[in-house]
Amino acid sequence: MSDRFPGASPGASPGASPGASPGASRADLVADTALALLAERGMRGLTHRAVDETAGLPQGSTSNVARTRQALLELAVRRHAEREARVLGLHEMPDPRDGLDSLADAMALAVHRTITAHRDLLVARYELALEATRRPGLRAFYDAEGAVFREHLTVLVTALGSTSPARHVLSLIAWADGLMFSCAAGSFNAEPPSLDEVRAGLRELLVGMFGDGGTGG
């Protein structure tokens, strides 16, 4: 794929963790390489041997980090949650007192950044989400890791005056997830919307929820 995870090519030197800072742990290297393989080859292409070969690690290294396939998938889910949190910029979310426009700006930037610069990370998430529907143990793990963003968004919409935070958070996440899927794997993959277009659509949704002033209703 054209936007492969950096450092995930075959023969990469040990420690060159895709998407991680220099000196990242062996576990991070294994997890990042697993995510790269999921995006490039799908679930069937993710094996312990493939991770070793792609990361340039001695045979058996991945098994030392994650002995079973379930353990390897959990490692990938945990690492994905860490990386997606950085991409979505949870630390950049505005103070609720800044109002609806500030939230629209921040969320639009996060969504647009994801669909334009981190498509592979999205595709890896879809692979993990589908696999979680077949593995109850992974489902519970996947849902727990994904709860952080929902909880953060719940705090924001509550402060904005939401009269039904759970429903509003579901609508916002469904809107964002639908847009990201359409642009990463759906019929809009070749023509993702501009940042202004993402913001306009998101603001329309937020105004419908809270009114123009973001005071609830």
Side-chain angles (χ1 to χ4, degrees):
M1 304 177 85
S2 60
D3 50 347
R4 290 170 56 90
F5 289 107
S9 58
S13 60
S17 178
S21 58
S25 70
R26 176 64 59 87
D28 285 347
L29 174 59
V30 167
D32 285 328
T33 305
L35 292 173
L37 288 168
L38 285 170
E40 183 177 354
R41 305 180 190 177
M43 191 58 65
R44 289 187 178 182
L46 176 62
T47 65
H48 286 70
R49 179 184 292 274
V51 173
D52 287 341
E53 292 175 351
T54 303
L57 294 170
Q59 186 174 343
S61 297
T62 298
S63 292
N64 289 335
V65 172
R67 186 157 299 279
T68 65
R69 184 167 182 79
Q70 176 73 16
L72 181 58
L73 290 171
E74 289 182 0
L75 188 70
V77 168
R78 184 182 299 112
R79 182 63 168 165
H80 184 279
E82 293 172 357
R83 291 178 56 181
E84 189 170 63
R86 293 200 299 269
V87 172
L88 292 176
L90 295 186
H91 61 289
E92 299 171 355
M93 288 294 117
D95 187 316
R97 292 171 295 184
D98 293 340
L100 182 149
D101 283 338
S102 181
L103 178 59
D105 288 342
M107 285 192 65
L109 180 60
V111 170
H112 187 260
R113 181 165 55 210
T114 303
I115 63 177
T116 56
H118 299 277
R119 180 177 177 273
D120 276 2
L121 198 60
L122 278 174
V123 173
R125 171 150 69 89
Y126 301 144
E127 291 285 345
L128 289 167
L130 288 172
E131 187 67 6
T133 67
R134 309 176 189 105
R135 292 174 176 262
L138 186 63
R139 175 84 272 162
F141 193 83
Y142 181 95
D143 290 346
E145 289 293 330
V148 175
F149 187 73
R150 291 198 306 274
E151 293 168 357
H152 197 89
L153 198 54
T154 298
V155 172
L156 286 174
V157 300
T158 300
L160 281 169
S162 173
T163 57
S164 182
R167 177 167 55 84
H168 285 157
V169 166
L170 174 60
S171 294
L172 282 168
I173 291 179
W175 181 90
D177 275 346
L179 179 65
M180 290 189 291
F181 182 86
S182 294
C183 294
S187 57
F188 288 89
N189 71 91
E191 298 181 21
S194 68
L195 175 59
D196 286 343
E197 289 171 330
V198 173
R199 186 188 183 282
L202 181 58
R203 194 177 189 284
E204 288 169 352
L205 181 62
L206 288 169
V207 169
M209 291 176 178
F210 306 111
D212 223 7
T215 58

